[in-house]
Amino acid sequence: MTSLDSRTSSAVAEECWAESDLVELRCCQVQEITHDVKSFVFAAPQGRYFEFDAGQFVTLQLEIDGVALTRCYTVSSPPTRPLRLSITVKRVPGGPVSNWLHDNLVPGSTVPVLAPLGSFTLPAEAVVHELTAEKPPKFLFLSAGSGITPLMSMTRTMADLGSSADVVFVHSARTPADIIFRRELDAIESVVPNVRVVHVCENDYPADRWPGLRGRLSTSMLETLVPDLAERRTFVCGPAPYMASVRRLLEARDYDFSRYHEESFNFDRLPATDVRATIEEAGLGSADVCGGAVQEAPAGFSVEFARSGRTITCGADEHILDAAFAAGMRPPSSCSQGMCGTCKTVKLSGEVEMQHNGGIRPKEIAQNKILICCSKPLSDLRLDA
């Protein structure tokens, strides 16, 4: 074993989030991907490694100008490179977090990051078919804008592992200058014979006239690029209108939607905490929101927040987070869809019905942790929050 092998072996003794769901990660590199997109690379803490599934996301918990903000970003690096983890962020005009990251996160900076979550992931068949002598599977990856990130993690993973899965990767962008990972994807295509990459641009860039496919993804494009569409599992990620358009295109082709997967977490959705903050900033009180009448909470179960000392009433058919907001509380939350894990807390007593979307791991459920955004009480509750 070489000295490098020895150092690497000793550096990967424990999974990064094995002891705590929240870990302070150090940025070790910032990469300029396009004119308004950067990748931020984080190093695993000494003696640890990153473990996640290609396509999952992490949640950053930040404080910007005295305001606590939580944002989720898909991991763009592959799990095959366990000592580094990267997120790729597009600067959004007026976006407090994306602009802060672009302007302030530099090598040496640290940020608190929650463990990876999400169910939009690369299926095992993409990499294990070599061991089972099964016919290589076929995939269609469709992305637009920064929706490319989970599919990039999947593509990097298959390339690293030498998978012979047949992949057609079609990415849509406004202009050639907006194609994220353009050169890397072209490089992968040039050396991996079973990966075909197609870029589609709506317009030229002033300094870069686009010679390829133009406009938006269409039925004719799909028919030309993937005549064997029915044989492929399709993975889609991008803005909500783009994904809706893709669904319509596939429906027109009588596609079998049991083979369809999309990133259902809308990362652009305004978190419930931000909605309430907007109401408060506009000078609206509870009477304004309720149409001038103060409404009493419906009969239900009591929910005690042990650390804050607050006890509220939550209806049997009401999510705990919604009841907390209605009572004027501001518990940590982000997606309100049971996906990001931000509202996770320990249930000290009582029972709940929880219907989550991958935002909590089985071992955490076994430790009596719940997501209050997607949990309804079945009895009186006491929470460690």
Coordinates of all heavy atoms in Angstrom, one line a residue, residues 178-270:
D178 N -25.2 29.1 -21.0 CA -25.9 28.6 -19.8 C -25.9 27.1 -19.6 O -26.6 26.6 -18.7 CB -27.4 29.1 -19.9 CG -27.5 30.6 -19.8 OD1 -27.0 31.2 -18.8 OD2 -28.1 31.2 -20.8
I179 N -25.2 26.4 -20.5 CA -25.1 24.9 -20.4 C -24.2 24.6 -19.2 O -23.0 24.8 -19.3 CB -24.7 24.3 -21.7 CG1 -25.6 24.6 -22.8 CG2 -24.6 22.8 -21.5 CD1 -25.1 24.1 -24.2
I180 N -24.8 24.0 -18.2 CA -24.0 23.6 -17.0 C -23.3 22.3 -17.3 O -23.9 21.4 -17.8 CB -24.9 23.5 -15.8 CG1 -25.6 24.9 -15.5 CG2 -24.2 23.1 -14.5 CD1 -26.7 24.8 -14.4
F181 N -22.0 22.3 -16.9 CA -21.2 21.1 -17.1 C -21.0 20.7 -18.6 O -20.8 19.5 -18.9 CB -21.7 19.9 -16.3 CG -21.9 20.1 -14.8 CD1 -23.1 19.9 -14.2 CD2 -20.8 20.4 -14.0 CE1 -23.3 20.1 -12.9 CE2 -21.0 20.6 -12.7 CZ -22.2 20.5 -12.1
R182 N -21.1 21.7 -19.4 CA -21.0 21.4 -20.9 C -19.8 20.6 -21.3 O -19.9 19.6 -21.9 CB -21.1 22.7 -21.6 CG -21.0 22.6 -23.2 CD -21.1 23.9 -23.8 NE -20.9 23.9 -25.3 CZ -21.0 24.9 -26.1 NH1 -21.2 26.2 -25.5 NH2 -20.8 24.8 -27.4
R183 N -18.6 21.1 -20.9 CA -17.4 20.5 -21.3 C -17.2 19.1 -20.7 O -16.7 18.2 -21.3 CB -16.2 21.4 -21.0 CG -16.1 22.6 -22.0 CD -14.8 23.4 -21.8 NE -14.9 24.1 -20.5 CZ -13.9 24.9 -20.1 NH1 -12.8 25.1 -20.8 NH2 -14.0 25.5 -18.9
E184 N -17.6 19.0 -19.4 CA -17.4 17.7 -18.7 C -18.3 16.6 -19.4 O -17.9 15.5 -19.6 CB -17.7 17.8 -17.2 CG -17.4 16.5 -16.5 CD -17.7 16.6 -15.0 OE1 -17.9 17.7 -14.5 OE2 -17.6 15.6 -14.3
L185 N -19.6 17.0 -19.7 CA -20.5 16.1 -20.3 C -20.0 15.6 -21.7 O -20.0 14.5 -22.0 CB -21.9 16.6 -20.4 CG -22.7 16.6 -19.1 CD1 -24.0 17.4 -19.3 CD2 -23.0 15.1 -18.8
D186 N -19.5 16.6 -22.4 CA -18.9 16.3 -23.7 C -17.7 15.3 -23.6 O -17.5 14.4 -24.4 CB -18.5 17.5 -24.5 CG -19.7 18.4 -24.9 OD1 -20.8 17.8 -24.9 OD2 -19.5 19.6 -25.3
A187 N -16.9 15.6 -22.5 CA -15.7 14.7 -22.3 C -16.2 13.3 -21.9 O -15.6 12.3 -22.4 CB -14.9 15.3 -21.2
I188 N -17.2 13.2 -21.1 CA -17.7 11.8 -20.7 C -18.2 11.1 -22.0 O -17.9 9.9 -22.2 CB -18.8 12.0 -19.7 CG1 -18.2 12.4 -18.3 CG2 -19.6 10.6 -19.5 CD1 -19.3 12.7 -17.2
E189 N -19.0 11.8 -22.8 CA -19.5 11.2 -24.0 C -18.3 10.7 -24.9 O -18.5 9.7 -25.6 CB -20.3 12.2 -24.8 CG -21.0 11.6 -26.1 CD -21.7 12.7 -26.9 OE1 -21.2 13.8 -26.9 OE2 -22.8 12.3 -27.4
S190 N -17.2 11.5 -24.9 CA -16.1 11.1 -25.8 C -15.4 9.9 -25.4 O -14.8 9.2 -26.3 CB -15.1 12.3 -26.0 OG -14.4 12.5 -24.7
V191 N -15.5 9.5 -24.1 CA -14.7 8.3 -23.7 C -15.6 7.2 -23.2 O -15.1 6.1 -23.0 CB -13.7 8.7 -22.5 CG1 -12.7 9.7 -23.0 CG2 -14.5 9.3 -21.3
V192 N -16.9 7.4 -23.0 CA -17.8 6.4 -22.5 C -18.7 6.1 -23.7 O -19.7 6.9 -24.0 CB -18.6 6.8 -21.3 CG1 -19.5 5.7 -20.8 CG2 -17.7 7.2 -20.1
P193 N -18.6 5.0 -24.4 CA -19.3 4.7 -25.6 C -20.8 4.6 -25.4 O -21.6 4.8 -26.4 CB -18.7 3.4 -26.1 CG -18.1 2.8 -24.9 CD -17.6 3.9 -24.0
N194 N -21.3 4.2 -24.2 CA -22.7 4.0 -24.0 C -23.4 5.2 -23.5 O -24.6 5.1 -23.1 CB -22.9 2.8 -23.1 CG -22.0 2.8 -21.9 OD1 -20.8 2.7 -22.0 ND2 -22.6 3.0 -20.7
V195 N -22.8 6.4 -23.5 CA -23.4 7.6 -23.0 C -23.5 8.6 -24.2 O -22.5 8.9 -24.8 CB -22.7 8.3 -21.8 CG1 -23.3 9.6 -21.5 CG2 -22.7 7.4 -20.6
R196 N -24.7 9.1 -24.5 CA -24.9 10.0 -25.6 C -25.4 11.3 -25.0 O -26.5 11.3 -24.3 CB -25.8 9.5 -26.7 CG -26.0 10.5 -27.9 CD -26.4 9.7 -29.1 NE -27.6 8.9 -28.9 CZ -28.8 9.3 -29.3 NH1 -29.0 10.5 -29.9 NH2 -29.9 8.6 -29.1
V197 N -24.8 12.5 -25.2 CA -25.2 13.7 -24.6 C -25.7 14.6 -25.7 O -25.1 14.8 -26.8 CB -24.0 14.4 -23.9 CG1 -24.5 15.8 -23.4 CG2 -23.5 13.5 -22.8
V198 N -26.9 15.3 -25.5 CA -27.4 16.2 -26.5 C -27.8 17.5 -25.7 O -28.5 17.4 -24.7 CB -28.7 15.6 -27.1 CG1 -29.3 16.7 -28.1 CG2 -28.4 14.3 -27.8
H199 N -27.3 18.6 -26.2 CA -27.7 19.9 -25.6 C -28.7 20.6 -26.5 O -28.6 20.6 -27.7 CB -26.5 20.8 -25.4 CG -25.4 20.2 -24.6 ND1 -25.5 19.8 -23.3 CD2 -24.1 19.9 -25.0 CE1 -24.4 19.4 -22.9 NE2 -23.5 19.4 -23.9
V200 N -29.7 21.2 -25.9 CA -30.8 21.9 -26.6 C -30.8 23.4 -26.1 O -30.9 23.6 -24.9 CB -32.1 21.3 -26.5 CG1 -33.2 22.1 -27.3 CG2 -32.1 19.8 -26.9
C201 N -30.6 24.4 -27.0 CA -30.6 25.8 -26.6 C -31.7 26.5 -27.2 O -32.1 26.3 -28.4 CB -29.3 26.4 -27.0 SG -27.9 25.8 -26.0
E202 N -32.3 27.4 -26.5 CA -33.4 28.3 -27.0 C -32.9 29.4 -27.9 O -33.5 29.7 -28.9 CB -34.2 28.9 -25.9 CG -35.0 27.9 -25.1 CD -36.0 28.5 -24.1 OE1 -36.6 29.6 -24.4 OE2 -36.1 28.1 -22.9
N203 N -31.7 30.0 -27.5 CA -31.2 31.1 -28.3 C -29.7 31.0 -28.3 O -29.0 30.2 -27.6 CB -31.6 32.4 -27.6 CG -33.1 32.6 -27.5 OD1 -33.8 32.7 -28.4 ND2 -33.6 32.6 -26.2
D204 N -29.1 31.9 -29.2 CA -27.6 32.1 -29.2 C -27.2 32.9 -28.0 O -28.0 33.6 -27.4 CB -27.2 32.8 -30.5 CG -27.5 32.0 -31.8 OD1 -27.3 30.7 -31.7 OD2 -27.8 32.5 -32.8
Y205 N -25.9 32.9 -27.8 CA -25.3 33.8 -26.8 C -24.5 34.8 -27.7 O -24.0 34.4 -28.8 CB -24.3 33.1 -25.9 CG -23.9 33.9 -24.7 CD1 -24.8 34.2 -23.7 CD2 -22.6 34.3 -24.6 CE1 -24.4 34.9 -22.6 CE2 -22.2 35.0 -23.5 CZ -23.1 35.3 -22.5 OH -22.7 36.1 -21.4
P206 N -24.4 36.1 -27.3 CA -23.8 37.1 -28.2 C -22.4 36.6 -28.7 O -22.1 36.9 -29.9 CB -23.6 38.3 -27.2 CG -24.8 38.2 -26.3 CD -25.0 36.7 -26.1
A207 N -21.6 35.9 -27.9 CA -20.3 35.5 -28.4 C -20.2 34.0 -28.8 O -19.2 33.5 -29.0 CB -19.3 35.8 -27.3
D208 N -21.4 33.4 -28.8 CA -21.4 31.9 -29.1 C -22.7 31.6 -29.8 O -23.8 31.4 -29.2 CB -21.3 31.2 -27.7 CG -21.1 29.7 -27.9 OD1 -21.1 29.2 -29.1 OD2 -20.9 29.0 -26.9
R209 N -22.6 31.4 -31.2 CA -23.8 31.0 -32.0 C -23.9 29.5 -31.8 O -23.0 28.7 -32.0 CB -23.5 31.4 -33.4 CG -24.7 31.0 -34.3 CD -24.6 31.6 -35.7 NE -25.7 31.2 -36.6 CZ -26.9 31.6 -36.5 NH1 -27.2 32.6 -35.7 NH2 -27.9 31.2 -37.3
W210 N -25.2 29.1 -31.5 CA -25.4 27.7 -31.2 C -25.7 26.9 -32.5 O -26.6 27.2 -33.2 CB -26.6 27.6 -30.3 CG -26.9 26.1 -29.9 CD1 -28.1 25.5 -30.2 CD2 -26.1 25.2 -29.2 NE1 -28.0 24.2 -29.7 CE2 -26.8 24.0 -29.1 CE3 -24.8 25.3 -28.7 CZ2 -26.2 22.9 -28.5 CZ3 -24.2 24.2 -28.1 CH2 -25.0 23.0 -28.0
P211 N -24.9 25.9 -32.8 CA -25.1 25.1 -34.0 C -26.0 23.9 -33.9 O -26.3 23.2 -34.9 CB -23.6 24.7 -34.4 CG -23.0 24.5 -33.0 CD -23.6 25.5 -32.1
G212 N -26.4 23.6 -32.6 CA -27.1 22.4 -32.4 C -28.6 22.5 -32.4 O -29.1 23.5 -33.0
L213 N -29.3 21.6 -31.7 CA -30.8 21.7 -31.6 C -31.2 23.0 -31.0 O -30.7 23.4 -29.9 CB -31.3 20.5 -30.9 CG -31.2 19.1 -31.6 CD1 -31.7 18.0 -30.7 CD2 -32.0 19.1 -32.9
R214 N -32.3 23.6 -31.5 CA -32.8 24.9 -31.0 C -34.2 24.8 -30.5 O -35.0 23.9 -30.9 CB -32.7 25.9 -32.1 CG -31.3 26.4 -32.4 CD -31.4 27.4 -33.6 NE -30.1 28.1 -33.8 CZ -29.7 29.2 -33.2 NH1 -30.5 29.7 -32.3 NH2 -28.5 29.7 -33.4
G215 N -34.6 25.7 -29.6 CA -36.0 25.7 -29.2 C -36.1 25.0 -27.9 O -35.2 24.9 -27.1
R216 N -37.3 24.5 -27.7 CA -37.6 23.7 -26.5 C -37.8 22.2 -26.8 O -38.1 21.9 -28.0 CB -38.9 24.3 -25.8 CG -38.7 25.7 -25.3 CD -39.8 26.2 -24.5 NE -39.6 27.5 -24.0 CZ -40.4 28.2 -23.2 NH1 -41.5 27.6 -22.7 NH2 -40.1 29.4 -22.8
L217 N -37.7 21.4 -25.9 CA -37.9 20.0 -26.1 C -39.2 19.7 -26.7 O -40.2 20.2 -26.2 CB -37.7 19.2 -24.8 CG -37.6 17.7 -24.9 CD1 -36.4 17.2 -25.6 CD2 -37.7 17.1 -23.5
S218 N -39.3 18.9 -27.7 CA -40.5 18.7 -28.4 C -40.7 17.2 -28.8 O -39.8 16.4 -28.6 CB -40.6 19.5 -29.8 OG -39.6 19.0 -30.6
T219 N -41.9 16.9 -29.2 CA -42.2 15.5 -29.6 C -41.3 15.0 -30.7 O -40.8 13.9 -30.7 CB -43.7 15.4 -30.0 OG1 -44.5 15.7 -28.9 CG2 -44.0 13.9 -30.4
S220 N -41.1 15.9 -31.7 CA -40.2 15.5 -32.8 C -38.8 15.3 -32.4 O -38.1 14.4 -32.9 CB -40.3 16.6 -33.9 OG -39.8 17.9 -33.4
M221 N -38.3 16.1 -31.4 CA -37.0 15.9 -30.9 C -36.9 14.5 -30.2 O -35.9 13.8 -30.5 CB -36.6 17.0 -29.9 CG -36.2 18.3 -30.5 SD -35.7 19.5 -29.2 CE -35.7 21.0 -30.1
L222 N -37.9 14.2 -29.4 CA -37.8 12.9 -28.7 C -37.9 11.8 -29.7 O -37.1 10.8 -29.5 CB -39.0 12.8 -27.7 CG -38.9 13.5 -26.4 CD1 -40.2 13.3 -25.6 CD2 -37.7 13.0 -25.6
E223 N -38.7 11.9 -30.7 CA -38.8 10.8 -31.7 C -37.5 10.6 -32.4 O -37.1 9.5 -32.8 CB -39.9 11.1 -32.7 CG -41.3 11.0 -32.1 CD -42.4 11.5 -33.0 OE1 -42.0 12.1 -34.1 OE2 -43.6 11.3 -32.8
T224 N -36.7 11.7 -32.7 CA -35.5 11.6 -33.4 C -34.4 11.1 -32.5 O -33.6 10.2 -32.8 CB -35.1 13.0 -33.9 OG1 -36.1 13.4 -34.8 CG2 -33.8 12.9 -34.7
L225 N -34.3 11.7 -31.2 CA -33.2 11.3 -30.3 C -33.3 10.0 -29.7 O -32.3 9.3 -29.4 CB -33.1 12.4 -29.3 CG -32.8 13.8 -29.8 CD1 -32.8 14.8 -28.6 CD2 -31.4 13.9 -30.4
V226 N -34.6 9.6 -29.3 CA -34.8 8.4 -28.6 C -35.9 7.6 -29.2 O -37.0 7.5 -28.6 CB -35.1 8.6 -27.1 CG1 -33.8 8.9 -26.3 CG2 -36.0 9.8 -26.9
P227 N -35.7 7.0 -30.4 CA -36.7 6.2 -31.0 C -37.1 5.0 -30.2 O -38.2 4.4 -30.3 CB -36.1 5.8 -32.3 CG -34.6 5.9 -32.1 CD -34.5 7.1 -31.2
D228 N -36.2 4.6 -29.3 CA -36.5 3.4 -28.4 C -37.0 3.9 -27.0 O -36.7 3.2 -26.0 CB -35.3 2.5 -28.2 CG -34.1 3.3 -27.7 OD1 -34.1 4.5 -27.6 OD2 -33.1 2.6 -27.4
L229 N -37.7 5.0 -27.0 CA -38.2 5.6 -25.7 C -38.9 4.6 -24.8 O -38.7 4.6 -23.6 CB -39.1 6.8 -26.0 CG -39.8 7.4 -24.8 CD1 -38.8 8.1 -23.9 CD2 -40.8 8.5 -25.3
A230 N -39.7 3.8 -25.4 CA -40.5 2.8 -24.6 C -39.6 1.8 -23.8 O -40.1 1.3 -22.8 CB -41.5 2.0 -25.5
E231 N -38.4 1.7 -24.2 CA -37.5 0.7 -23.6 C -36.7 1.4 -22.5 O -35.9 0.7 -21.7 CB -36.5 0.1 -24.6 CG -37.2 -0.6 -25.8 CD -36.2 -1.0 -26.8 OE1 -35.0 -1.1 -26.5 OE2 -36.6 -1.2 -28.0
R232 N -36.8 2.7 -22.3 CA -36.0 3.4 -21.3 C -36.7 3.8 -20.1 O -37.9 4.2 -20.1 CB -35.4 4.6 -22.0 CG -34.4 4.3 -23.2 CD -33.8 5.5 -23.8 NE -33.0 5.1 -24.9 CZ -31.7 4.8 -24.8 NH1 -31.1 5.0 -23.6 NH2 -30.9 4.5 -25.8
R233 N -36.0 3.8 -19.0 CA -36.5 4.4 -17.7 C -36.1 5.9 -17.8 O -35.0 6.2 -18.2 CB -35.8 3.8 -16.5 CG -36.3 2.4 -16.2 CD -35.7 1.8 -15.0 NE -36.2 2.5 -13.7 CZ -35.9 2.1 -12.5 NH1 -35.2 1.0 -12.3 NH2 -36.4 2.7 -11.5
T234 N -37.0 6.8 -17.6 CA -36.8 8.2 -17.7 C -36.7 8.9 -16.4 O -37.5 8.7 -15.5 CB -38.0 8.8 -18.6 OG1 -38.0 8.2 -19.8 CG2 -37.8 10.3 -18.8
F235 N -35.7 9.7 -16.3 CA -35.4 10.6 -15.1 C -35.4 12.0 -15.5 O -34.7 12.4 -16.4 CB -34.1 10.2 -14.4 CG -34.1 8.9 -13.7 CD1 -34.0 7.7 -14.5 CD2 -34.2 8.8 -12.4 CE1 -34.0 6.4 -13.9 CE2 -34.2 7.5 -11.7 CZ -34.1 6.4 -12.5
V236 N -36.3 12.8 -14.8 CA -36.5 14.2 -15.2 C -36.3 15.1 -14.0 O -36.8 14.9 -12.9 CB -37.9 14.4 -15.8 CG1 -38.1 15.8 -16.3 CG2 -38.2 13.4 -16.9
C237 N -35.6 16.2 -14.3 CA -35.4 17.3 -13.2 C -35.2 18.6 -13.9 O -34.5 18.8 -14.8 CB -34.2 17.0 -12.3 SG -34.1 18.0 -10.9
G238 N -36.0 19.6 -13.4 CA -35.9 20.9 -13.9 C -37.0 21.8 -13.3 O -37.7 21.3 -12.4
P239 N -37.2 23.0 -13.8 CA -38.3 23.8 -13.3 C -39.6 23.1 -13.4 O -39.8 22.3 -14.4 CB -38.2 25.1 -14.1 CG -36.8 25.1 -14.6 CD -36.4 23.7 -14.8
A240 N -40.6 23.5 -12.6 CA -41.9 22.8 -12.6 C -42.6 22.9 -14.0 O -43.1 21.9 -14.5 CB -42.8 23.4 -11.5
P241 N -42.5 24.0 -14.7 CA -43.2 24.1 -16.0 C -42.5 23.1 -17.0 O -43.1 22.5 -17.9 CB -43.0 25.5 -16.5 CG -42.9 26.3 -15.2 CD -42.1 25.4 -14.3
Y242 N -41.2 23.0 -16.9 CA -40.4 22.1 -17.8 C -40.9 20.6 -17.5 O -41.1 19.9 -18.5 CB -38.9 22.2 -17.6 CG -38.1 21.1 -18.2 CD1 -37.8 21.2 -19.6 CD2 -37.6 20.1 -17.5 CE1 -37.0 20.2 -20.2 CE2 -36.8 19.1 -18.1 CZ -36.5 19.2 -19.4 OH -35.8 18.2 -20.0
M243 N -41.0 20.2 -16.3 CA -41.3 18.8 -16.0 C -42.8 18.6 -16.4 O -43.1 17.5 -16.9 CB -41.1 18.6 -14.5 CG -39.7 18.6 -14.1 SD -39.3 17.8 -12.4 CE -40.1 19.0 -11.4
A244 N -43.7 19.6 -16.3 CA -45.0 19.4 -16.7 C -45.1 19.2 -18.2 O -45.8 18.4 -18.8 CB -45.9 20.6 -16.3
S245 N -44.2 19.9 -19.0 CA -44.2 19.8 -20.4 C -43.7 18.4 -20.8 O -44.2 17.8 -21.7 CB -43.2 20.9 -21.0 OG -43.1 20.7 -22.4
V246 N -42.7 17.9 -20.1 CA -42.1 16.6 -20.4 C -43.2 15.5 -20.2 O -43.4 14.6 -21.0 CB -40.9 16.3 -19.5 CG1 -40.5 14.8 -19.6 CG2 -39.7 17.2 -19.9
R247 N -44.0 15.7 -19.1 CA -45.0 14.7 -18.9 C -46.1 14.7 -20.0 O -46.5 13.6 -20.4 CB -45.7 15.0 -17.5 CG -44.9 14.6 -16.3 CD -45.7 14.6 -15.0 NE -46.3 16.0 -14.7 CZ -45.6 16.9 -14.0 NH1 -44.4 16.6 -13.5 NH2 -46.2 18.1 -13.8
R248 N -46.4 15.9 -20.5 CA -47.3 16.0 -21.6 C -46.8 15.3 -22.9 O -47.5 14.6 -23.6 CB -47.7 17.4 -21.9 CG -48.6 18.1 -20.9 CD -49.2 19.4 -21.3 NE -48.1 20.4 -21.6 CZ -47.7 21.2 -20.6 NH1 -48.2 21.2 -19.4 NH2 -46.8 22.1 -20.9
L249 N -45.5 15.5 -23.1 CA -44.8 14.9 -24.3 C -44.8 13.4 -24.2 O -45.1 12.7 -25.2 CB -43.4 15.4 -24.4 CG -43.2 16.9 -24.8 CD1 -41.7 17.2 -24.8 CD2 -43.8 17.2 -26.1
L250 N -44.5 12.9 -23.0 CA -44.5 11.4 -22.9 C -45.9 10.8 -22.9 O -46.1 9.7 -23.4 CB -43.8 11.1 -21.5 CG -42.4 11.5 -21.4 CD1 -41.8 11.1 -20.0 CD2 -41.5 10.8 -22.5
E251 N -46.9 11.5 -22.4 CA -48.3 11.1 -22.5 C -48.7 10.9 -23.9 O -49.4 10.0 -24.3 CB -49.2 12.0 -21.7 CG -49.1 11.9 -20.2 CD -49.8 13.1 -19.5 OE1 -50.3 14.0 -20.2 OE2 -49.8 13.1 -18.2
A252 N -48.3 11.9 -24.7 CA -48.6 11.9 -26.2 C -48.0 10.7 -26.9 O -48.5 10.2 -27.9 CB -48.2 13.2 -26.9
R253 N -46.9 10.1 -26.3 CA -46.3 8.9 -26.9 C -46.7 7.7 -26.2 O -46.2 6.6 -26.4 CB -44.7 9.1 -26.7 CG -44.1 10.2 -27.5 CD -44.0 9.9 -29.0 NE -43.3 8.6 -29.2 CZ -41.9 8.5 -29.3 NH1 -41.2 9.6 -29.2 NH2 -41.4 7.4 -29.5
D254 N -47.8 7.7 -25.3 CA -48.3 6.6 -24.6 C -47.2 5.9 -23.8 O -47.1 4.7 -23.7 CB -48.9 5.6 -25.6 CG -50.2 6.1 -26.2 OD1 -50.9 6.8 -25.5 OD2 -50.4 5.8 -27.4
Y255 N -46.3 6.7 -23.2 CA -45.2 6.2 -22.4 C -45.7 5.5 -21.1 O -46.7 6.0 -20.5 CB -44.3 7.3 -22.0 CG -43.0 6.9 -21.3 CD1 -42.0 6.3 -21.9 CD2 -42.9 7.1 -19.9 CE1 -40.8 5.9 -21.3 CE2 -41.8 6.8 -19.2 CZ -40.7 6.1 -19.9 OH -39.6 5.7 -19.2
D256 N -45.1 4.4 -20.7 CA -45.4 3.7 -19.5 C -44.9 4.5 -18.3 O -43.7 4.4 -18.0 CB -44.8 2.3 -19.6 CG -45.1 1.5 -18.3 OD1 -45.8 2.0 -17.4 OD2 -44.6 0.4 -18.2
F257 N -45.7 5.2 -17.5 CA -45.3 6.0 -16.5 C -44.8 5.3 -15.2 O -44.3 5.9 -14.3 CB -46.3 7.1 -16.1 CG -46.3 8.3 -17.0 CD1 -46.8 8.3 -18.2 CD2 -45.6 9.4 -16.5 CE1 -46.8 9.4 -19.0 CE2 -45.5 10.5 -17.3 CZ -46.1 10.6 -18.6
S258 N -44.9 4.0 -15.2 CA -44.3 3.2 -14.2 C -42.8 3.2 -14.3 O -42.0 2.9 -13.4 CB -44.8 1.7 -14.2 OG -44.3 1.0 -15.3
R259 N -42.3 3.7 -15.5 CA -40.8 3.8 -15.7 C -40.4 5.2 -15.7 O -39.3 5.6 -16.1 CB -40.5 3.2 -17.1 CG -40.9 1.7 -17.2 CD -40.8 1.2 -18.6 NE -39.4 1.3 -19.2 CZ -38.5 0.4 -18.9 NH1 -38.7 -0.6 -18.1 NH2 -37.3 0.5 -19.4
Y260 N -41.2 6.1 -15.1 CA -40.9 7.5 -15.1 C -40.6 8.0 -13.7 O -41.2 7.6 -12.7 CB -42.2 8.3 -15.6 CG -42.1 9.8 -15.5 CD1 -41.5 10.5 -16.6 CD2 -42.6 10.5 -14.4 CE1 -41.4 11.9 -16.5 CE2 -42.5 11.9 -14.4 CZ -41.9 12.6 -15.4 OH -41.9 13.9 -15.4
H261 N -39.6 8.8 -13.6 CA -39.1 9.3 -12.3 C -38.8 10.8 -12.4 O -38.2 11.2 -13.4 CB -37.9 8.6 -11.8 CG -38.0 7.1 -11.9 ND1 -38.4 6.3 -10.8 CD2 -37.6 6.3 -12.9 CE1 -38.4 5.1 -11.2 NE2 -37.9 5.0 -12.4
E262 N -39.3 11.6 -11.5 CA -39.0 13.1 -11.5 C -38.6 13.5 -10.1 O -39.1 13.0 -9.1 CB -40.1 13.9 -12.1 CG -41.3 14.0 -11.2 CD -42.4 15.0 -11.8 OE1 -42.4 15.2 -13.1 OE2 -43.2 15.5 -11.1
E263 N -37.8 14.6 -10.0 CA -37.5 15.2 -8.7 C -38.7 16.0 -8.3 O -39.0 17.1 -8.8 CB -36.3 16.1 -8.9 CG -35.9 16.8 -7.6 CD -35.8 15.9 -6.4 OE1 -34.7 15.4 -6.1 OE2 -36.8 15.8 -5.7
S264 N -39.5 15.4 -7.4 CA -40.7 16.0 -7.0 C -40.6 17.2 -6.0 O -41.5 17.9 -5.7 CB -41.6 15.0 -6.4 OG -41.0 14.4 -5.2
F265 N -39.4 17.4 -5.4 CA -39.1 18.4 -4.5 C -38.9 19.7 -5.3 O -38.0 19.9 -6.0 CB -37.9 18.1 -3.7 CG -37.7 19.1 -2.5 CD1 -38.5 20.2 -2.3 CD2 -36.6 18.9 -1.7 CE1 -38.3 21.1 -1.2 CE2 -36.3 19.8 -0.6 CZ -37.2 20.9 -0.4
N266 N -39.9 20.7 -5.2 CA -39.8 21.9 -5.8 C -38.9 22.9 -5.0 O -39.3 23.5 -4.1 CB -41.1 22.6 -6.0 CG -41.1 23.9 -6.8 OD1 -40.0 24.3 -7.2 ND2 -42.2 24.5 -7.0
F267 N -37.6 22.9 -5.4 CA -36.6 23.7 -4.6 C -36.9 25.2 -4.6 O -36.4 26.0 -3.8 CB -35.2 23.5 -5.1 CG -34.7 22.1 -4.7 CD1 -34.9 21.0 -5.6 CD2 -34.0 21.8 -3.5 CE1 -34.5 19.8 -5.3 CE2 -33.6 20.6 -3.2 CZ -33.8 19.5 -4.1
D268 N -37.7 25.7 -5.6 CA -38.1 27.1 -5.7 C -39.3 27.5 -4.9 O -39.7 28.6 -4.8 CB -38.3 27.4 -7.1 CG -37.1 27.2 -8.0 OD1 -36.0 27.5 -7.5 OD2 -37.2 26.8 -9.1
R269 N -39.9 26.5 -4.3 CA -41.2 26.8 -3.5 C -40.8 27.6 -2.3 O -39.8 27.4 -1.6 CB -41.8 25.4 -3.1 CG -43.0 25.6 -2.2 CD -43.6 24.3 -1.8 NE -44.6 24.4 -0.8 CZ -45.4 23.4 -0.4 NH1 -45.2 22.2 -0.9 NH2 -46.3 23.6 0.6
L270 N -41.7 28.6 -2.0 CA -41.4 29.5 -0.8 C -41.8 28.7 0.4 O -42.9 28.3 0.6 CB -42.3 30.7 -0.9 CG -42.1 31.8 0.1 CD1 -40.7 32.4 0.0 CD2 -43.2 32.9 0.0

